[in-house]
Amino acid sequence: MDTLLRSVFHCMVHEHDPRLVVIAGLVCLIGIFASLATAQHAAREVGASRTRWAAVAVIASGCTAWTTHFIILLAFRPGLPSAFDPLLTGLSLICAITGIAAGIFVAVGGRRKTDHFIAGVIVGTGVAALHYVGQFAYLVQGKVEWDPRLVVLSLAISLPLFGLGLLSAADRNRQIRMLALPILLLAITLLHFCGMAALRFSHDPSYSFPAGAVSPAGITPIVFAVAGALISLAVAGWRFEVEARRRLRRDRSRLRALADMALEGLIICEDDAIVTVNSTMEAMTGHDAATLTAMQASALLPGLDIANLPDREEREARLLAANGQLIPVRALRRQVELGQRVQAVIAVRDQRERLRTEAAMRALVFKDPLTGMANRTRFFELLAMHTKSKRETEQSFAVLMIDLDRFKLINDTYGHAVGDVILCEVAHRMRGALRRGDIIARLGGDEFAVLALAVENFADAEALAARIIDAVSAQPYLDAGRPLFLGASIGLKWTQDNSEKPDDLLRHADLALYAAKEEGRGRTRRFDARLEERLRESHAIEEGLRVAIAKGQLELHYQPLVDARTGRIVSAEALVRWRHPERGLIPPAEFIKIAEETGLIVPLGEWVLHTACREAASWPGQVKVAVNLSPVQFREPSLVSAVMSAMGAAKLSPERLDLEITEGVLLGDEQQTLDTLTKFSAWGVRITMDDFGTGYSSLSYLRKFPFSTVKIDRSFVQQLPHDAESVALVRAIISMTSALGMATTIEGVETAEQFRFAVAEGCTSIQGYYIGRPTDGAEFGRLVKRGAIIAA
Ligand code: C2E
Ligand code: CA
Ligand code: CA
């Protein structure tokens, strides 16, 4: 090996004319530049022009190899006369061109690294063929001997180097690409000098050159003509390059001008290097353009895999600002061709404003604006989230539904502004009663809800409810120094099973709240099996009631009202009953409320109106009929037409119809109720305030609405005439109503004593079991037609 290397070294240093070797090197470099420049130009062109320039590039590279080789051959001084075989000389050029063309073909078609390596080996083979065919074209006057070891060595070293050369030329990393040229030069050098060192000549004066052989002096102009052509090609290629650069600069500056108008930040980059940015980008990051173009795109958008970002698909990302802040952005990448170079434009949209608006919108959607608490939507969401949670500590919890007692009255009496201030104070006090982590929401109006997590048992839940009620009601609220009192009722659902549906939880708590209010307000009622049972029953009643209305299972009973002075029947109250096929006669107490909750009261009420008017029309002319109307019916705009059509169908004059309403009606939409009642009384229909004394019994209601009669509630009559308080109350009501010019009816009169008391106190009419129990329509009809005087 040592001797081999020594002979290669000897060949390089002593057997070559160094000046020509340098020229060969220069020509080689210029040729490579010319080939690359034309190849790049081909890449920028399209169609036939592209193919032409690609061919020029391949031929140029073949010529480069060929001229380099032959200049070095001319530099070779074996010390013997030499000549060139023209045919083989031409063939060597063809070998170089085909080898390089084939190699490039494989390289362009291939994607994998092995493809590029193989392409390099093919190019190397072409160059080696050029070398050895060229060697055979080189004739000397003497005997030629080959050292096969050096031939093998030349191939064994140079071919892999050619492979490596192309491999690095195709690499994405710029630094590795820069290695391609020295590697290829090394491959060529080693191939050449090993190949040359393999030759041994011994002089043989008897040898004469074949006819047609060209002397070195003859081939020199050809070689230098080709070298000249390469030089002019290099100049042309250089000019192409300059032109392309100019175009790229122009395109970029045009694009930058355009990009500066964009609201989005734009980055143009080549691979990872940032080439240009727009002014929005500068403003967004706080960096100037110079700093940005010195950065890598991947550093500016950390965590975003820019190279593998699909074209035109937006991605969430973070943009690194000058102050170190990470700005939330959306990034979009698009491949563009700029100055015929493939570059990526990355559009970056600032998301801060959008996120801020979204957060504000969320707050708006989920927050009760008055109290700042969560609203119904949010509460439901939190409840749903919680019921999905699998954490063991959260499996027993409570849902509390809170309703303020008498709040409506405060709102109506003092106005909404005062109501709002008090609601805020209530919210504040309730918050104070909660434990850490409890969630409170205002569901609407004066309704609140609490989700209390990790509540071990019922007792704890009830203690929390008691604290809330206490917080709300213990101290008065002050309105301009005047104390106002408020209470709260709570429905409580406690569970150990967080797989219950949020809907059910709320419904159960609501049901318990309903029961709490029914039981007298200001208290907590828990949801339990009994309520559940009641719920089931009410479902059954609801179903049955639908059938009852459709199948005519309802009937009306009539209870007489007599004139306090004459004892004659002046009116009858229509009271509905349900004749159940199995259960017999069901009193209204069992189904009216459910009918109200389900809306069935509307068709039921219409039936009552029609039936009562029809039956009353057959009674003697002076006897009126009283019909009870539910608050729910007043919410229906159809009520007016229903009353009208009932009277019309029965041909009952409006003066004979009396509508009984309770305070519940007045708690709804006041203006609408007033309009409706005013219409009725304008027709001549009488309106009675029923159950007077049980509710808020506000005097202002009596003045505001067109009542003709006030009916004193049964509960005050029971204690008469011995209970002093009841006596005083009934007296007060009678004097008050007569002062307002209204009639007074007293209901629930069961004894002669009570009857006498009512007469003595000046009641207008009297109703009760003492006078008569409700009877069915047929019987009442007979009674009233006899014109009986019931009591006197
Ligand atoms: P209400 O309007 O207060 O009707 C009077 C109730 O008192 C009737 O009960 C009647 O039977 C009962 N009553 C009458 N005199 C006496 C008495 O001397 N002593 C006692 N202890 N009770 C007496 P009823 O028929 O069970 O009706 C109960 C409630 O159902 C009614 O109370 C009314 O609010 C409602 N209701 C009845 N029919 C209808 C209807 O057609 N529509 C609507 N919306 N509600 C109705
Ligand atoms: Ca009534
Ligand atoms: Ca009543």
Side-chain angles (χ1 to χ4, degrees), residues 3-25:
T3 47
L4 281 182
L5 288 178
R6 206 166 301 142
S7 60
V8 171
F9 182 74
H10 178 83
C11 163
M12 278 172 80
V13 177
H14 301 289
E15 294 176 349
H16 284 80
D17 177 343
R19 283 165 308 170
L20 276 174
V21 170
V22 170
I23 289 175

Side-chain angles (χ1 to χ4, degrees), residues 254-282:
R254 274 188 192 162
L255 194 73
R256 158 97 203 201
L258 202 68
D260 278 346
M261 283 164 53
L263 292 173
E264 291 169 341
L266 295 177
I267 309 169
I268 297 171
C269 50
E270 233 176 275
D271 295 334
D272 202 19
I274 296 177
V275 177
T276 324
V277 294
N278 69 348
S279 49
T280 311
M281 199 69 211
E282 292 177 272

